[in-house]
Amino acid sequence: MRSEVAQKNEKGLGVGTRRVIAYTVLIIVSFLCLFWFYVLFINATRSNGDLNKGFRILPSTYLLKNWTGVLNGTQPIIRGMFNSLFVAVCSAVLCTYFSTMTAYAIHAYDFKLKKFMFTFILMVMMIPTQVTALGFVQQLRDWKLMNSFIPLIVPAIAAPVTFFYMKQYMESNLPLALVEAARIDGSGEFRTFNTIVLPLMKPAISVQAIFTFVSSWNNYFTPALILKEKKRTLPILIAELRSADWLKFDMGQVYVTIAFSIFPVILVYLFLSKFIVEGVTAGGVKG
Amino acid sequence: MKQKVKRGKVVSFNKWGYIFLIPFVVVYVTFQLIPLFRTIYNSLFENYMANGGLVQVGPNWVGLKNYSSMFKNPDLWKYLGNTMLLWIMGFVPQIAMSLLLGAWFSDPSLRLKGTRFFKTVIYLPNLIMASAFSMLFVVLFAVGGPINSVLVNLKILSAPFDFMNSIWGVRGLVAGMNFLMWFGNTTILLMAGMMGIDTNLYEAAEVDGATSTQIFFRITLPLLRPILIYVMITSLIGGLQMFDVPQILTNKKGGPLETSMTLIMLLNRHIGISKNYGMAGALSVILFIVTGALSLVVFRFNTKTEK
């Protein structure tokens, strides 16, 4: 029986050969994913003159000089970083806290509009923010909220995708018996949510906090429409670098500016990749 | 059973369901729903800046005239074509690669080592700031940039190739970047689906003497169909929103002769630069209807997996 199976398998490729092919493709693909960031790192350490001579495999020693050059340059990238950081951290906190609250409302209580609300949130989940951008910008103009971080942070409270993830997580990880036990012990509903539900949701909250942080950090479309001058975030500064006559710039500094926007996320990812990759698998929805 | 327990004990607490929903509802209505209605309202008015932004025309009620003139404008169809072409050029290799890698990762007979490392690496580009990643590509693929210098040194090219001034150069870069940024994500999604397939089916097929290629096409692929449709629709919705990469890569101009100009780039131009709010509104409404129809499919998928 066994030999029969082995014989039949010879029609296709053997396991050994298939393994070699798989590894080869995986290595090529990994190279394609990492190569750009490697070149970015190398080139950020080289001087302008050296860069003009072409490609090099090993780093040079100009990183610090390029960095001070960028700091003294025309682009306020430190300020841009703090702006980006502020918006991203606030969004991540608000988004995870209130999405958990929304999911808890739907998960733990029975009320008339429950089914309607759940269906509604799922329906609007995939609608892109760009299609409401026009009305959004006009409204901000009326409310004197242009060039402010508030319209980039507060809307994070209503995040259907995060809500959906939290709801899914609660189905399998939040026993309602626990909530009832807290009730019998006399804990108020709001307190139960803060002291019992939130800690239990920690794994899901950290995964979603990372995703919200990263998508806010990378966001370009909406900030570009509302932020100006001192409020500019990193993606806007990158776009301005693109529009400038960058070929005449010190190329080492151009690379450092790009690296400065990209490497913080890579660093965070190096430490948290396990959660992130698992989070993608578990969530299943991350357009 | 669950239902009964809730009815019995929790009923007096149920007003808290409404209370906990307040933040979401208030924020959603103010920052999404009202802007959406405002956008729709705008699409019914003629409202733009003439004479290079000096004179404001409108707002004048024009009914559906914005829509008819938008559909008559060949540019809209050109940009729609660009968007779809760029999406397909990135999506086809992406789904093919993801299926291949997903099948390998989930194949127990291959026993690949270091799958966690590979998964981590291929997912990485998804988290990178698209605008900075595009700027990096602009610099690397410039005429005097490192890619050209390597290609010339290896004698692959006789002279540096100006990617940014070539129609297919720009399109290829946009598609390539979208491929790089999304195939890891798709691989992980498809792999989760493949892991869910009953292993008995594979064993039975193997006993019957099927090769791994046959197993893939006759068992894995048909059973994966729902997830494949889901991945395709979500990717299409994402593709319609394509903006950051072509915007930065082409410096807001849409590439040589606007051959890489996408719909959202046009929307951005209407809102930000030409201040043609009537047209911006009409375009938004059309995009809203299309993405809304597409997301109904996703909605049905999500509610099905619920049960």
Side-chain angles (χ1 to χ4, degrees), chain A residues 19 23 29-30 36 110 124-126 128 130 135 138-139 141-142 168 183 189 218 242-243 251 255 269 281 284-285 287, chain B residues 10 13-14 28 30 38-39 42 110 113 118 120 127 129 139 180 182-183 188 230 241 248-249 251 277 295 302 306:
Chain A
R19 210 178 275 156
Y23 279 125
V29 165
S30 306
W36 323 102
D110 255 334
V124 299
M125 189 155 73
M126 299 304 291
Q130 284 100 322
Q138 285 180 323
Q139 185 163 303
R141 216 167 271 148
D142 291 352
Q168 298 276 67
R183 243 172 231 152
E189 296 302 296
N218 294 346
R242 175 67 178 99
S243 314
M251 286 311 288
Y255 281 112
Y269 184 62
T281 318
V285 259
Chain B
V10 190
F13 296 102
N14 284 340
Y28 191 82
T30 32
R38 231 177 142 152
T39 307
N42 261 286
L110 266 182
K113 293 213 173 60
F118 287 121
T120 308
L127 296 172
M129 187 188 291
V139 180
L180 272 182
W182 288 101
F183 85 96
I188 291 171
Y230 171 82
Q241 299 171 51
I248 302 287
L249 216 55
N251 193 15
Y277 292 156
S295 53
N302 280 338
E306 274 293 280

Short mmCIF file of all heavy atoms in Angstrom, two decimals, chain A residues 19 23 29-30 36 110 124-126 128 130 135 138-139 141-142 168 183 189 218 242-243 251 255 269 281 284-285 287, chain B residues 10 13-14 28 30 38-39 42 110 113 118 120 127 129 139 180 182-183 188 230 241 248-249 251 277 295 302 306:
data_model
loop_
_atom_site.label_atom_id
_atom_site.label_comp_id
_atom_site.label_asym_id
_atom_site.label_seq_id
_atom_site.Cartn_x
_atom_site.Cartn_y
_atom_site.Cartn_z
N ARG A 19 10.81 21.03 -2.06
CA ARG A 19 11.31 21.83 -0.95
C ARG A 19 12.38 22.82 -1.46
O ARG A 19 12.39 23.98 -1.06
CB ARG A 19 11.91 20.91 0.10
CG ARG A 19 11.79 21.48 1.49
CD ARG A 19 12.34 20.51 2.50
NE ARG A 19 11.38 19.52 2.92
CZ ARG A 19 11.71 18.31 3.42
NH1 ARG A 19 12.98 17.98 3.52
NH2 ARG A 19 10.79 17.48 3.79
N TYR A 23 12.10 26.85 -1.11
CA TYR A 23 13.09 27.70 -0.44
C TYR A 23 13.65 28.75 -1.38
O TYR A 23 13.86 29.91 -1.01
CB TYR A 23 14.23 26.85 0.15
CG TYR A 23 13.88 26.22 1.48
CD1 TYR A 23 13.98 24.86 1.68
CD2 TYR A 23 13.43 27.02 2.54
CE1 TYR A 23 13.66 24.27 2.90
CE2 TYR A 23 13.11 26.45 3.76
CZ TYR A 23 13.22 25.08 3.93
OH TYR A 23 12.90 24.51 5.13
N VAL A 29 11.84 36.09 -2.82
CA VAL A 29 10.77 37.00 -2.41
C VAL A 29 11.20 37.82 -1.18
O VAL A 29 10.96 39.03 -1.10
CB VAL A 29 9.50 36.18 -2.12
CG1 VAL A 29 8.51 37.00 -1.35
CG2 VAL A 29 8.87 35.72 -3.41
N SER A 30 11.86 37.15 -0.22
CA SER A 30 12.33 37.88 0.96
C SER A 30 13.35 38.93 0.57
O SER A 30 13.35 40.05 1.09
CB SER A 30 12.97 36.92 1.96
OG SER A 30 12.09 35.89 2.26
N TRP A 36 15.18 46.96 -0.68
CA TRP A 36 15.00 48.42 -0.72
C TRP A 36 15.41 49.08 0.58
O TRP A 36 16.02 50.15 0.58
CB TRP A 36 13.55 48.76 -1.03
CG TRP A 36 12.97 47.80 -2.02
CD1 TRP A 36 12.15 46.75 -1.76
CD2 TRP A 36 13.26 47.75 -3.41
NE1 TRP A 36 11.89 46.06 -2.90
CE2 TRP A 36 12.55 46.64 -3.94
CE3 TRP A 36 14.06 48.52 -4.29
CZ2 TRP A 36 12.59 46.30 -5.28
CZ3 TRP A 36 14.09 48.17 -5.61
CH2 TRP A 36 13.38 47.08 -6.09
N ASP A 110 -28.63 43.22 25.63
CA ASP A 110 -29.72 42.95 24.71
C ASP A 110 -30.59 44.17 24.65
O ASP A 110 -31.15 44.58 25.66
CB ASP A 110 -30.56 41.77 25.24
CG ASP A 110 -30.28 40.52 24.46
OD1 ASP A 110 -29.88 40.66 23.29
OD2 ASP A 110 -30.45 39.43 25.01
N VAL A 124 -21.12 49.63 6.90
CA VAL A 124 -20.32 50.81 6.56
C VAL A 124 -18.83 50.52 6.70
O VAL A 124 -18.00 51.39 6.42
CB VAL A 124 -20.68 52.02 7.45
CG1 VAL A 124 -22.13 52.40 7.25
CG2 VAL A 124 -20.38 51.74 8.91
N MET A 125 -18.48 49.29 7.08
CA MET A 125 -17.09 48.97 7.38
C MET A 125 -16.14 49.27 6.22
O MET A 125 -15.04 49.73 6.43
CB MET A 125 -17.00 47.51 7.78
CG MET A 125 -15.67 47.11 8.31
SD MET A 125 -15.79 45.68 9.38
CE MET A 125 -16.08 44.40 8.24
N MET A 126 -16.60 48.96 5.01
CA MET A 126 -15.67 49.07 3.90
C MET A 126 -15.72 50.42 3.17
O MET A 126 -15.01 50.63 2.20
CB MET A 126 -15.93 47.95 2.88
CG MET A 126 -15.78 46.55 3.42
SD MET A 126 -14.17 46.24 4.15
CE MET A 126 -13.14 46.29 2.71
N PRO A 128 -14.73 53.83 2.12
CA PRO A 128 -13.48 54.56 2.30
C PRO A 128 -13.70 55.99 2.80
O PRO A 128 -14.72 56.61 2.47
CB PRO A 128 -12.85 54.57 0.90
CG PRO A 128 -13.93 54.21 -0.04
CD PRO A 128 -15.06 53.59 0.71
N GLN A 130 -12.17 58.52 1.87
CA GLN A 130 -11.99 59.50 0.79
C GLN A 130 -13.32 60.01 0.23
O GLN A 130 -13.42 61.15 -0.18
CB GLN A 130 -11.18 58.90 -0.37
CG GLN A 130 -9.72 58.79 -0.10
CD GLN A 130 -9.34 57.39 0.29
OE1 GLN A 130 -10.08 56.72 0.99
NE2 GLN A 130 -8.19 56.93 -0.13
N GLY A 135 -17.12 66.75 2.06
CA GLY A 135 -17.99 67.27 3.10
C GLY A 135 -17.25 67.44 4.41
O GLY A 135 -17.48 68.41 5.15
N GLN A 138 -15.23 70.70 4.26
CA GLN A 138 -16.11 71.87 4.35
C GLN A 138 -16.60 72.07 5.77
O GLN A 138 -16.66 73.19 6.27
CB GLN A 138 -17.30 71.68 3.42
CG GLN A 138 -16.95 71.87 1.97
CD GLN A 138 -18.16 71.67 1.09
OE1 GLN A 138 -18.99 70.81 1.37
NE2 GLN A 138 -18.25 72.43 0.04
N GLN A 139 -16.96 70.94 6.41
CA GLN A 139 -17.45 71.01 7.79
C GLN A 139 -16.36 71.55 8.72
O GLN A 139 -16.64 72.38 9.58
CB GLN A 139 -17.86 69.62 8.21
CG GLN A 139 -18.50 69.56 9.56
CD GLN A 139 -19.24 68.26 9.72
OE1 GLN A 139 -20.11 67.93 8.93
NE2 GLN A 139 -18.87 67.50 10.71
N ARG A 141 -14.04 73.54 7.93
CA ARG A 141 -13.90 74.97 7.65
C ARG A 141 -14.97 75.75 8.43
O ARG A 141 -14.67 76.77 9.04
CB ARG A 141 -14.02 75.20 6.14
CG ARG A 141 -13.10 76.30 5.65
CD ARG A 141 -13.01 76.31 4.14
NE ARG A 141 -11.96 75.44 3.65
CZ ARG A 141 -12.01 74.78 2.50
NH1 ARG A 141 -13.09 74.84 1.74
NH2 ARG A 141 -11.00 74.04 2.12
N ASP A 142 -16.21 75.24 8.41
CA ASP A 142 -17.30 75.90 9.15
C ASP A 142 -17.01 75.92 10.65
O ASP A 142 -17.33 76.88 11.33
CB ASP A 142 -18.62 75.16 8.93
CG ASP A 142 -19.11 75.31 7.51
OD1 ASP A 142 -18.49 76.10 6.77
OD2 ASP A 142 -20.08 74.63 7.14
N GLN A 168 -15.29 40.04 17.45
CA GLN A 168 -14.90 38.66 17.20
C GLN A 168 -14.12 38.08 18.37
O GLN A 168 -14.30 36.95 18.77
CB GLN A 168 -14.01 38.58 15.94
CG GLN A 168 -14.64 39.03 14.68
CD GLN A 168 -15.45 37.93 14.04
OE1 GLN A 168 -16.46 37.52 14.58
NE2 GLN A 168 -15.00 37.45 12.89
N ARG A 183 -21.34 41.98 38.63
CA ARG A 183 -22.59 42.65 38.95
C ARG A 183 -23.11 42.24 40.32
O ARG A 183 -23.54 43.07 41.12
CB ARG A 183 -23.63 42.25 37.90
CG ARG A 183 -24.10 43.41 37.09
CD ARG A 183 -24.97 42.95 35.95
NE ARG A 183 -24.50 43.53 34.73
CZ ARG A 183 -24.65 42.97 33.54
NH1 ARG A 183 -25.22 41.80 33.44
NH2 ARG A 183 -24.20 43.58 32.48
N GLU A 189 -21.80 49.17 35.92
CA GLU A 189 -21.51 48.71 34.57
C GLU A 189 -20.26 49.35 33.99
O GLU A 189 -19.43 48.70 33.36
CB GLU A 189 -22.71 49.01 33.65
CG GLU A 189 -23.96 48.28 34.01
CD GLU A 189 -23.77 46.77 34.01
OE1 GLU A 189 -23.50 46.23 32.93
OE2 GLU A 189 -23.88 46.15 35.08
N ASN A 218 1.07 56.48 8.84
CA ASN A 218 1.29 56.44 7.39
C ASN A 218 0.29 57.28 6.60
O ASN A 218 0.44 57.46 5.40
CB ASN A 218 1.19 55.00 6.88
CG ASN A 218 2.29 54.13 7.42
OD1 ASN A 218 3.28 54.63 7.97
ND2 ASN A 218 2.16 52.83 7.28
N ARG A 242 9.33 65.51 -2.40
CA ARG A 242 9.16 65.02 -3.77
C ARG A 242 8.93 66.18 -4.73
O ARG A 242 9.47 66.21 -5.83
CB ARG A 242 7.99 64.05 -3.82
CG ARG A 242 7.61 63.53 -5.22
CD ARG A 242 8.70 62.66 -5.77
NE ARG A 242 8.37 62.12 -7.08
CZ ARG A 242 8.81 62.63 -8.24
NH1 ARG A 242 9.57 63.71 -8.22
NH2 ARG A 242 8.50 62.05 -9.38
N SER A 243 8.11 67.17 -4.29
CA SER A 243 7.80 68.29 -5.18
C SER A 243 8.98 69.25 -5.31
O SER A 243 9.07 70.00 -6.28
CB SER A 243 6.60 69.08 -4.66
OG SER A 243 5.60 68.22 -4.28
N MET A 251 22.12 64.27 -1.51
CA MET A 251 21.36 63.01 -1.57
C MET A 251 21.43 62.22 -0.28
O MET A 251 20.49 61.50 0.08
CB MET A 251 21.86 62.16 -2.74
CG MET A 251 21.42 62.66 -4.10
SD MET A 251 19.67 63.03 -4.17
CE MET A 251 18.99 61.38 -4.16
N TYR A 255 18.13 60.63 1.65
CA TYR A 255 17.97 59.27 2.14
C TYR A 255 17.68 59.24 3.64
O TYR A 255 16.85 58.45 4.11
CB TYR A 255 19.23 58.43 1.84
CG TYR A 255 19.29 57.94 0.42
CD1 TYR A 255 20.25 58.42 -0.46
CD2 TYR A 255 18.39 56.98 -0.03
CE1 TYR A 255 20.30 57.98 -1.77
CE2 TYR A 255 18.44 56.53 -1.34
CZ TYR A 255 19.40 57.03 -2.21
OH TYR A 255 19.45 56.57 -3.50
N TYR A 269 8.21 46.95 14.50
CA TYR A 269 7.81 45.67 13.91
C TYR A 269 8.76 44.55 14.32
O TYR A 269 8.34 43.42 14.58
CB TYR A 269 7.77 45.82 12.39
CG TYR A 269 7.29 44.58 11.67
CD1 TYR A 269 6.01 44.10 11.89
CD2 TYR A 269 8.11 43.91 10.77
CE1 TYR A 269 5.55 42.99 11.23
CE2 TYR A 269 7.66 42.79 10.10
CZ TYR A 269 6.38 42.33 10.33
OH TYR A 269 5.93 41.21 9.68
N THR A 281 -3.82 37.18 10.98
CA THR A 281 -4.47 35.90 10.78
C THR A 281 -5.80 35.86 11.50
O THR A 281 -6.82 35.44 10.95
CB THR A 281 -3.58 34.76 11.34
OG1 THR A 281 -2.24 35.03 10.99
CG2 THR A 281 -4.02 33.44 10.80
N GLY A 284 -8.53 38.71 10.02
CA GLY A 284 -9.09 38.35 8.74
C GLY A 284 -9.59 39.54 7.96
O GLY A 284 -9.72 39.48 6.76
N VAL A 285 -9.88 40.64 8.64
CA VAL A 285 -10.34 41.81 7.90
C VAL A 285 -9.38 42.96 8.13
O VAL A 285 -9.35 43.56 9.18
CB VAL A 285 -11.73 42.29 8.35
CG1 VAL A 285 -12.78 41.84 7.38
CG2 VAL A 285 -12.01 41.83 9.75
N GLY A 287 -8.48 45.67 5.31
CA GLY A 287 -8.43 46.01 3.88
C GLY A 287 -7.11 46.53 3.56
O GLY A 287 -6.70 46.78 2.49
N VAL B 10 -30.04 39.94 32.92
CA VAL B 10 -29.35 41.17 32.53
C VAL B 10 -30.32 42.27 32.12
O VAL B 10 -29.93 43.41 31.96
CB VAL B 10 -28.35 40.86 31.39
CG1 VAL B 10 -27.47 42.05 31.12
CG2 VAL B 10 -27.51 39.67 31.76
N PHE B 13 -30.15 45.89 32.97
CA PHE B 13 -28.91 46.60 32.65
C PHE B 13 -28.84 47.02 31.20
O PHE B 13 -27.90 47.66 30.79
CB PHE B 13 -27.70 45.70 32.96
CG PHE B 13 -27.57 45.36 34.41
CD1 PHE B 13 -27.97 44.12 34.88
CD2 PHE B 13 -27.08 46.29 35.30
CE1 PHE B 13 -27.85 43.81 36.22
CE2 PHE B 13 -26.97 45.98 36.65
CZ PHE B 13 -27.35 44.75 37.10
N ASN B 14 -29.85 46.63 30.43
CA ASN B 14 -29.70 46.75 29.00
C ASN B 14 -29.66 48.18 28.48
O ASN B 14 -29.22 48.42 27.36
CB ASN B 14 -30.77 45.96 28.28
CG ASN B 14 -30.44 44.48 28.32
OD1 ASN B 14 -29.28 44.13 28.55
ND2 ASN B 14 -31.42 43.64 28.14
N TYR B 28 -19.49 58.93 14.72
CA TYR B 28 -19.75 58.48 13.36
C TYR B 28 -20.66 59.46 12.62
O TYR B 28 -20.40 59.81 11.47
CB TYR B 28 -20.35 57.07 13.35
CG TYR B 28 -20.36 56.50 11.96
CD1 TYR B 28 -19.22 55.91 11.43
CD2 TYR B 28 -21.48 56.63 11.14
CE1 TYR B 28 -19.20 55.46 10.14
CE2 TYR B 28 -21.46 56.17 9.85
CZ TYR B 28 -20.32 55.58 9.35
OH TYR B 28 -20.28 55.14 8.06
N THR B 30 -21.19 62.72 13.28
CA THR B 30 -20.59 64.03 13.00
C THR B 30 -19.47 63.98 11.98
O THR B 30 -19.34 64.88 11.17
CB THR B 30 -20.01 64.69 14.27
OG1 THR B 30 -19.56 63.68 15.12
CG2 THR B 30 -20.99 65.57 14.96
N ARG B 38 -23.32 65.90 3.11
CA ARG B 38 -22.84 67.18 2.58
C ARG B 38 -22.18 66.99 1.22
O ARG B 38 -22.32 67.82 0.31
CB ARG B 38 -21.83 67.75 3.55
CG ARG B 38 -22.17 69.15 3.88
CD ARG B 38 -21.24 69.68 4.88
NE ARG B 38 -20.99 71.06 4.50
CZ ARG B 38 -20.68 72.00 5.36
NH1 ARG B 38 -20.55 71.71 6.63
NH2 ARG B 38 -20.47 73.22 4.95
N THR B 39 -21.43 65.90 1.10
CA THR B 39 -20.78 65.59 -0.18
C THR B 39 -21.83 65.36 -1.26
O THR B 39 -21.71 65.88 -2.37
CB THR B 39 -19.89 64.34 -0.02
OG1 THR B 39 -19.01 64.54 1.08
CG2 THR B 39 -19.09 64.08 -1.28
N ASN B 42 -23.40 68.63 -2.23
CA ASN B 42 -22.48 69.39 -3.09
C ASN B 42 -22.54 68.97 -4.55
O ASN B 42 -22.32 69.78 -5.44
CB ASN B 42 -21.04 69.17 -2.62
CG ASN B 42 -20.56 70.30 -1.76
OD1 ASN B 42 -20.28 71.38 -2.26
ND2 ASN B 42 -20.52 70.08 -0.47
N LEU B 110 5.69 19.19 3.24
CA LEU B 110 6.92 19.91 2.87
C LEU B 110 7.79 20.19 4.10
O LEU B 110 9.02 20.27 4.00
CB LEU B 110 6.56 21.24 2.21
CG LEU B 110 6.47 21.28 0.69
CD1 LEU B 110 6.15 22.68 0.23
CD2 LEU B 110 7.75 20.80 0.05
N LYS B 113 11.10 24.94 7.04
CA LYS B 113 11.61 25.54 8.29
C LYS B 113 11.61 27.07 8.15
O LYS B 113 11.68 27.60 7.06
CB LYS B 113 13.02 25.04 8.55
CG LYS B 113 13.07 23.56 8.87
CD LYS B 113 14.18 23.24 9.86
CE LYS B 113 14.10 21.79 10.30
NZ LYS B 113 14.23 20.82 9.17
N PHE B 118 9.90 33.92 7.39
CA PHE B 118 9.46 34.33 6.04
C PHE B 118 8.17 35.13 6.10
O PHE B 118 8.00 36.13 5.42
CB PHE B 118 9.31 33.12 5.13
CG PHE B 118 10.62 32.52 4.69
CD1 PHE B 118 10.94 31.20 4.98
CD2 PHE B 118 11.56 33.29 4.01
CE1 PHE B 118 12.14 30.65 4.58
CE2 PHE B 118 12.77 32.76 3.62
CZ PHE B 118 13.06 31.43 3.90
N THR B 120 7.11 36.91 8.56
CA THR B 120 7.42 38.24 9.11
C THR B 120 8.00 39.15 8.03
O THR B 120 7.61 40.31 7.91
CB THR B 120 8.45 38.08 10.25
OG1 THR B 120 7.96 37.12 11.17
CG2 THR B 120 8.67 39.40 10.96
N LEU B 127 3.45 47.53 6.25
CA LEU B 127 3.39 48.51 7.33
C LEU B 127 4.14 49.79 7.01
O LEU B 127 4.08 50.77 7.74
CB LEU B 127 3.96 47.91 8.62
CG LEU B 127 3.18 46.72 9.18
CD1 LEU B 127 3.94 46.08 10.31
CD2 LEU B 127 1.81 47.17 9.65
N MET B 129 5.25 53.28 5.46
CA MET B 129 4.56 54.47 4.98
C MET B 129 4.61 54.51 3.45
O MET B 129 5.68 54.60 2.86
CB MET B 129 5.26 55.70 5.56
CG MET B 129 4.56 57.01 5.29
SD MET B 129 5.58 58.40 5.80
CE MET B 129 5.58 58.24 7.57
N VAL B 139 13.80 57.90 -5.77
CA VAL B 139 15.23 58.16 -5.67
C VAL B 139 16.04 56.99 -6.21
O VAL B 139 17.00 57.17 -6.96
CB VAL B 139 15.61 58.47 -4.21
CG1 VAL B 139 17.08 58.75 -4.09
CG2 VAL B 139 14.81 59.65 -3.68
N LEU B 180 4.34 44.32 -3.79
CA LEU B 180 5.21 44.14 -2.63
C LEU B 180 4.49 44.44 -1.32
O LEU B 180 4.67 43.76 -0.32
CB LEU B 180 6.41 45.09 -2.73
CG LEU B 180 7.63 44.60 -3.48
CD1 LEU B 180 8.72 45.65 -3.43
CD2 LEU B 180 8.14 43.29 -2.89
N TRP B 182 1.28 44.25 -0.64
CA TRP B 182 0.07 43.50 -0.27
C TRP B 182 0.17 41.99 -0.36
O TRP B 182 -0.69 41.30 0.15
CB TRP B 182 -1.13 44.01 -1.08
CG TRP B 182 -1.53 45.35 -0.60
CD1 TRP B 182 -1.23 46.56 -1.18
CD2 TRP B 182 -2.22 45.65 0.61
NE1 TRP B 182 -1.71 47.59 -0.40
CE2 TRP B 182 -2.33 47.06 0.70
CE3 TRP B 182 -2.78 44.88 1.64
CZ2 TRP B 182 -2.95 47.69 1.77
CZ3 TRP B 182 -3.40 45.51 2.69
CH2 TRP B 182 -3.48 46.90 2.75
N PHE B 183 1.19 41.43 -0.99
CA PHE B 183 1.16 39.97 -1.16
C PHE B 183 1.36 39.24 0.17
O PHE B 183 0.83 38.15 0.37
CB PHE B 183 2.15 39.50 -2.24
CG PHE B 183 3.56 39.29 -1.76
CD1 PHE B 183 4.00 38.02 -1.39
CD2 PHE B 183 4.44 40.34 -1.69
CE1 PHE B 183 5.29 37.81 -0.95
CE2 PHE B 183 5.74 40.13 -1.24
CZ PHE B 183 6.16 38.88 -0.87
N ILE B 188 -1.03 35.57 4.19
CA ILE B 188 -1.44 35.17 5.55
C ILE B 188 -2.93 34.88 5.59
O ILE B 188 -3.37 33.90 6.20
CB ILE B 188 -1.03 36.27 6.55
CG1 ILE B 188 0.50 36.30 6.66
CG2 ILE B 188 -1.64 36.02 7.91
CD1 ILE B 188 1.06 37.46 7.43
N TYR B 230 -13.53 36.99 -1.30
CA TYR B 230 -13.39 38.02 -0.27
C TYR B 230 -12.12 38.83 -0.48
O TYR B 230 -12.14 40.07 -0.48
CB TYR B 230 -13.39 37.35 1.11
CG TYR B 230 -13.03 38.27 2.24
CD1 TYR B 230 -13.98 39.10 2.81
CD2 TYR B 230 -11.73 38.31 2.74
CE1 TYR B 230 -13.66 39.94 3.84
CE2 TYR B 230 -11.39 39.15 3.77
CZ TYR B 230 -12.35 39.97 4.33
OH TYR B 230 -12.02 40.81 5.34
N GLN B 241 -9.16 52.97 -4.19
CA GLN B 241 -8.68 54.08 -3.36
C GLN B 241 -7.22 54.39 -3.62
O GLN B 241 -6.60 55.15 -2.87
CB GLN B 241 -8.82 53.73 -1.88
CG GLN B 241 -10.23 53.48 -1.43
CD GLN B 241 -10.25 52.93 -0.03
OE1 GLN B 241 -9.64 53.45 0.87
NE2 GLN B 241 -10.94 51.82 0.15
N ILE B 248 2.80 60.24 -5.08
CA ILE B 248 4.18 60.61 -4.76
C ILE B 248 5.11 60.24 -5.92
O ILE B 248 5.98 61.01 -6.32
CB ILE B 248 4.65 59.90 -3.47
CG1 ILE B 248 3.74 60.26 -2.31
CG2 ILE B 248 6.10 60.26 -3.16
CD1 ILE B 248 3.88 61.64 -1.78
N LEU B 249 4.89 59.06 -6.48
CA LEU B 249 5.78 58.58 -7.54
C LEU B 249 5.78 59.56 -8.71
O LEU B 249 6.82 59.83 -9.30
CB LEU B 249 5.29 57.19 -7.99
CG LEU B 249 6.34 56.17 -8.39
CD1 LEU B 249 7.36 55.96 -7.30
CD2 LEU B 249 5.68 54.85 -8.72
N ASN B 251 4.77 62.72 -8.58
CA ASN B 251 4.76 64.10 -8.11
C ASN B 251 3.44 64.80 -8.43
O ASN B 251 3.40 65.89 -8.96
CB ASN B 251 5.94 64.88 -8.71
CG ASN B 251 6.15 66.20 -8.00
OD1 ASN B 251 5.62 66.41 -6.92
ND2 ASN B 251 6.93 67.07 -8.62
N TYR B 277 -15.92 71.92 -6.29
CA TYR B 277 -16.64 71.10 -5.34
C TYR B 277 -17.80 70.34 -5.98
O TYR B 277 -18.15 69.25 -5.52
CB TYR B 277 -17.15 71.96 -4.18
CG TYR B 277 -16.05 72.50 -3.31
CD1 TYR B 277 -16.21 73.64 -2.54
CD2 TYR B 277 -14.82 71.85 -3.27
CE1 TYR B 277 -15.19 74.12 -1.74
CE2 TYR B 277 -13.79 72.32 -2.48
CZ TYR B 277 -13.97 73.47 -1.72
OH TYR B 277 -12.96 73.92 -0.95
N SER B 295 -18.94 46.45 -1.12
CA SER B 295 -18.81 46.04 0.28
C SER B 295 -20.03 45.24 0.73
O SER B 295 -19.93 44.52 1.72
CB SER B 295 -18.56 47.23 1.19
OG SER B 295 -19.53 48.21 0.99
N ASN B 302 -18.84 38.35 5.73
CA ASN B 302 -18.61 38.48 7.17
C ASN B 302 -19.75 37.92 7.99
O ASN B 302 -19.52 37.29 9.02
CB ASN B 302 -18.40 39.96 7.54
CG ASN B 302 -16.98 40.41 7.23
OD1 ASN B 302 -16.09 39.57 7.12
ND2 ASN B 302 -16.80 41.69 7.07
N GLU B 306 -19.84 34.61 10.59
CA GLU B 306 -20.38 34.77 11.94
C GLU B 306 -21.03 33.47 12.41
O GLU B 306 -20.90 33.07 13.54
CB GLU B 306 -21.44 35.87 11.96
CG GLU B 306 -20.92 37.26 12.16
CD GLU B 306 -20.32 37.47 13.52
OE1 GLU B 306 -21.07 37.69 14.46
OE2 GLU B 306 -19.08 37.40 13.63
#
